[in-house]
Amino acid sequence: MRPITRDVLTREIIGWHQQGIIDRPLLETLLPRYETQGRFLAALLKWLGLFAIFQLGLAVLAFIAMMAKSAGVAAVLLSGVGGGLWYFGVRMATDSRQRHPFTGSVLVTASLAAAFGTLVLLHVAAGGEDEGRVISILLLLTGALAALTAYRYHLRWPLLLALLLFFHGVGAWHAYGGHGAYFADIQDERLMALIALAVIVLGLWHERQLESGPLRRCTGFGALYLIFGLLYLNLSLWFLTLFGKPLDWVLIFTGAGIAQIIAGARLHDARFTGFGIVFLAIDLYTRFFEHFWDRLSAGMFFLLAGALAMIFGFLCERWSRLSPEPHP
């Protein structure tokens, strides 16, 4: 069997399980028949090779730009590299024989990242100010370009980048703070939660209506909308409960986690159930930390936290076994 056929069958089987069409035992029976042996290692080697080539190319461009001492020269060089990556990436990803679809998608995504870098360098070369607002606009512009590329050539990787850039453009940030510490922030959690909820609705509509009709070649796009929407909705609600925020937001966050578990059970969709269980557990752990970290010793605190996590996991497993099996 051709590798591309194995990949298609593997994705379809996983999708059937996520939609509740087949149960877990049937998934575990079918998946080993079609899953390519050594897929993870092959994908890892591809990523490492592409990353190495891309980083070496950027190092050469950075050296030339430093020698020229001009952001404009760097922008021109990076735009040329990005254009070449986009051209060859689209050709490889849309090849009718599908000889290198993965590599093509990665090259297209890298070219879009280069487009963002080019816009930033042009802004620097023009002597622009107010970088915070301009960077957000450039993120949204690059995201729009990535989304257009994704829908024009039916590629999921550019859409993933588009959604990431969109959510960062509307106010989600993260950074490395040094000494092993990372920081995450959302500028307006309430607005982000509403936007994420709208993205979830869009994802469901896209997956259940558009992908079975006019956009059937865009299979999997709705799943990306849904996953990003669930992620940023839960993150926004979680951030609203931190640092002594009102009890109302704690109740809303807890209710949202329970509602996602119920929605996943009703829709037979493991994505809702998974996000609901994970963030409900995060919610409970956060409340436990807030109320008992200063009252208990570190050993007793982690002992109780581990015991509660085991009990919670046992109850979830028992509940999943007692719940009725979904009918195909």
Side-chain angles (χ1 to χ4, degrees):
M1 186 181 295
R2 294 175 59 193
I4 184 64
T5 306
R6 288 182 176 273
D7 291 340
V8 170
L9 290 173
T10 300
R11 288 197 298 268
E12 289 296 325
I13 292 168
I14 295 173
W16 292 341
H17 175 65
Q18 291 176 344
Q19 296 167 23
I21 298 175
I22 61 175
D23 56 13
R24 186 74 187 181
L26 185 54
L27 172 71
E28 293 174 353
T29 302
L30 293 175
L31 199 57
R33 293 175 178 269
Y34 302 107
E35 192 171 23
T36 305
Q37 298 295 326
R39 249 181 110 177
F40 175 76
L41 181 59
L44 180 62
L45 291 174
K46 284 184 179 180
W47 272 105
L48 289 175
L50 289 170
F51 181 77
I53 294 171
F54 189 61
Q55 291 299 315
L56 287 173
L58 290 181
V60 174
L61 293 177
F63 176 77
I64 296 174
M66 289 174 62
M67 292 299 99
K69 296 182 180 180
S70 171
V73 173
V76 172
L77 293 173
L78 188 57
S79 65
V81 171
L85 289 174
W86 188 89
Y87 175 75
F88 289 106
V90 166
R91 289 192 61 182
M92 295 171 70
T94 58
D95 182 17
S96 59
R97 298 178 62 183
Q98 290 291 289
R99 289 172 293 186
H100 306 286
F102 177 82
T103 304
S105 296
V106 173
L107 291 178
V108 171
T109 308
S111 72
L112 293 167
F116 172 72
T118 300
L119 293 174
V120 173
L121 288 171
L122 289 174
H123 172 70
V124 173
E129 298 179 355
D130 192 14
E131 292 187 2
R133 182 176 299 177
V134 171
I135 292 297
S136 297
I137 294 173
L138 296 182
L139 285 171
L140 293 175
L141 288 175
T142 309
L145 180 61
L148 289 173
T149 302
Y151 278 95
R152 172 62 180 83
Y153 297 103
H154 313 108
L155 302 173
R156 278 183 290 183
W157 277 97
L159 183 62
L160 187 148
L161 178 63
L163 289 170
L164 187 63
L165 292 173
F166 170 75
F167 279 105
H168 277 254
V170 297
W173 305 97
H174 67 270
Y176 176 64
H179 303 286
Y182 291 85
F183 298 92
D185 186 34
I186 295 177
Q187 186 174 0
D188 189 337
E189 294 90 349
R190 298 172 181 85
L191 177 62
M192 182 66 79
L194 292 175
I195 293 173
L197 187 59
V199 172
I200 292 171
V201 174
L202 173 62
L204 286 173
W205 176 63
H206 196 291
E207 189 174 62
R208 296 172 181 265
Q209 299 295 329
L210 297 181
E211 292 179 20
S212 59
L215 296 180
R216 60 175 58 88
R217 293 187 65 187
C218 297
T219 302
F221 284 26
L224 289 176
Y225 286 114
L226 188 61
I227 290 171
F228 271 88
L230 287 169
L231 175 62
Y232 281 96
L233 172 66
N234 286 292
L235 284 176
S236 300
L237 294 177
W238 180 38
F239 288 176
L240 284 168
T241 68
L242 300 177
F243 309 114
K245 295 292 178 64
L247 179 63
D248 297 347
W249 287 110
V250 176
L251 296 176
I252 292 173
F253 183 35
T254 304
I258 296 172
Q260 288 170 69
I261 296 174
I262 296 173
R266 293 292 300 273
L267 298 173
H268 302 299
D269 195 325
R271 295 166 296 187
F272 282 96
T273 307
F275 274 98
I277 291 175
V278 168
F279 278 94
L280 183 60
I282 290 174
D283 179 27
L284 295 175
Y285 178 80
T286 303
R287 307 287 79 79
F288 182 76
F289 181 88
E290 287 179 344
H291 290 90
F292 296 103
W293 177 254
D294 295 326
R295 300 181 184 181
L296 300 173
S297 65
M300 183 60 66
F301 174 86
F302 287 114
L303 178 63
L304 289 176
L308 290 174
M310 290 179 64
I311 293 171
F312 183 72
F314 171 77
L315 293 175
C316 289
E317 280 193 355
R318 187 171 179 80
W319 176 71
S320 66
R321 290 177 181 178
L322 294 176
S323 61
E325 294 289 343
H327 296 286

